[in-house]
């Protein structure tokens, strides 16, 4: 069975509920969180109202401002047995590069790691701002070729190659060939 439709998107109600929960937990007003994340208060208000179209950059900025992993903002409630078929799952797209990250497994309470399947196409590099302090990224290339890692220390990788680096410093991913995919494990120490 083939699905020629667009990649799955995050339901806005998951994001809205997560943002309200984490903002309340942190004891922050809409204005204060928007200021800390460097986004407009109206944008945050729209996201908490389950409207708008959040980009990966906006959600990462909010996660950093709240001191929580990205997955805490996009994680759906998970059943006891979970299967995510290829091409399915909560996916967030970059507004600055042909980059889409699909959350495969969020860190359960007590553990601090998230697993993503990422698709990236040649064109613009996906520059990533630092994540929360102590973040370590593990990347395994599935298909294609890419250049990845901390700014000034990027390396070229091919299928099967593994790279580990600090995610709490500026870093980037750039596909060198079409159809590049990789698995990204974010470990939060």
């Amino acid at each position: 069975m083939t699905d020629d439709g667009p990649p799955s998107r995050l339901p806005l109600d998951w994001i809205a509920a997560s943002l309200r929960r984490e903002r309340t937990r942190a004891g922050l007003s809409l204005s204060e969180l928007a200021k800390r994340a460097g986004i407009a208060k109206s944008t945050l208000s729209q996201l908490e109202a389950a409207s708008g179209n959040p980009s990966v950059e906006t959600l990462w900025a909010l996660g950093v401002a709240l001191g929580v992993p990205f997955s805490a903002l996009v994680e759906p409630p998970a059943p006891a047995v979970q299967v995510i078929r290829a091409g399915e799952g909560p996916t967030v797209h970059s507004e600055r590069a042909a980059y889409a990250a699909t959350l495969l497994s969020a860190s359960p309470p007590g553990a601090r790691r998230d697993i993503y399947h990422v698709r990236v196409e040649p064109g613009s590099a996906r520059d990533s701002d630092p994540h929360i302090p102590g973040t370590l990224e593990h990347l395994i290339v599935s298909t294609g070729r890419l250049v990845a890692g901390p700014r000034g220390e990027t390396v070229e990788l091919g299928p099967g190659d593994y790279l580990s680096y600090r995610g709490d410093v500026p870093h980037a991913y750039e596909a060198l060939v079409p159809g590049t995919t990789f698995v990204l494990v974010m470990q939060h120490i």
Side-chain angles (χ1 to χ4, degrees), residues 71 75 82 84 102-108 113-117:
S71 61
E75 175 182 26
Q82 183 177 15
I84 299 176
T102 301
L103 179 65
L104 300 177
S105 174
S107 181
R113 62 97 189 111
D114 304 320
I115 304 171
Y116 296 89
H117 182 263

Side-chain angles (χ1 to χ4, degrees), residues 78-182:
V81 174
Q82 183 177 15
V83 175
I84 299 176
R85 302 282 181 210
E88 296 179 357
T91 301
V92 180
H93 299 268
S94 172
E95 60 188 23
R96 294 180 264 184
Y99 175 99
T102 301
L103 179 65
L104 300 177
S105 174
S107 181
R112 304 217 6 122
R113 62 97 189 111
D114 304 320
I115 304 171
Y116 296 89
H117 182 263
V118 179
R119 293 183 325 269
V120 61
E121 296 295 332
S124 299
R126 164 65 175 108
D127 292 315
S128 182
D129 291 327
H131 305 310
I132 60 176
T135 300
L136 185 64
E137 293 193 1
H138 304 270
L139 185 154
I140 304 166
V141 178
S142 303
T143 60
R145 297 197 69 74
L146 77 148
V147 173
R151 288 188 194 146
E153 298 180 67
T154 57
V155 295
E156 185 173 327
L157 303 165
D161 289 345
Y162 165 81
L163 174 66
S164 179
Y165 53 91
R166 289 180 53 195
D168 58 2
V169 299
H171 53 283
Y173 320 91
E174 183 175 5
L176 300 176
V177 299
T180 297
T181 62
F182 58 92

Side-chain angles (χ1 to χ4, degrees), residues 1 4 8 19 23 45 48 73 83 90 127 137 146-147 183:
M1 181 171 155
D4 294 329
S8 61
L19 281 171
R23 183 176 61 78
S45 180
E48 284 199 8
L73 302 180
V83 175
D127 292 315
E137 293 193 1
L146 77 148
V147 173
V183 173

Side-chain angles (χ1 to χ4, degrees), residues 7-91:
S8 61
R9 304 283 299 176
L10 289 169
L12 293 176
D13 55 333
W14 293 351
I15 295 170
S18 297
L19 281 171
R20 284 189 303 272
R21 177 191 68 235
E22 294 301 331
R23 183 176 61 78
T24 300
R25 181 198 52 78
L28 297 174
S29 67
L30 277 170
S31 297
E32 182 60 25
L33 177 55
K35 180 180 172 185
R36 289 183 184 189
I39 65 171
K41 180 181 173 185
S42 61
T43 299
L44 179 56
S45 180
Q46 287 177 341
L47 292 177
E48 284 199 8
S51 61
N53 187 16
S55 69
V56 69
E57 291 83 6
T58 298
L59 293 174
W60 279 116
L62 287 164
V64 170
L66 288 165
V68 299
F70 172 82
S71 61
L73 302 180
V74 300
E75 175 182 26
V81 174
Q82 183 177 15
V83 175
I84 299 176
R85 302 282 181 210
E88 296 179 357
T91 301

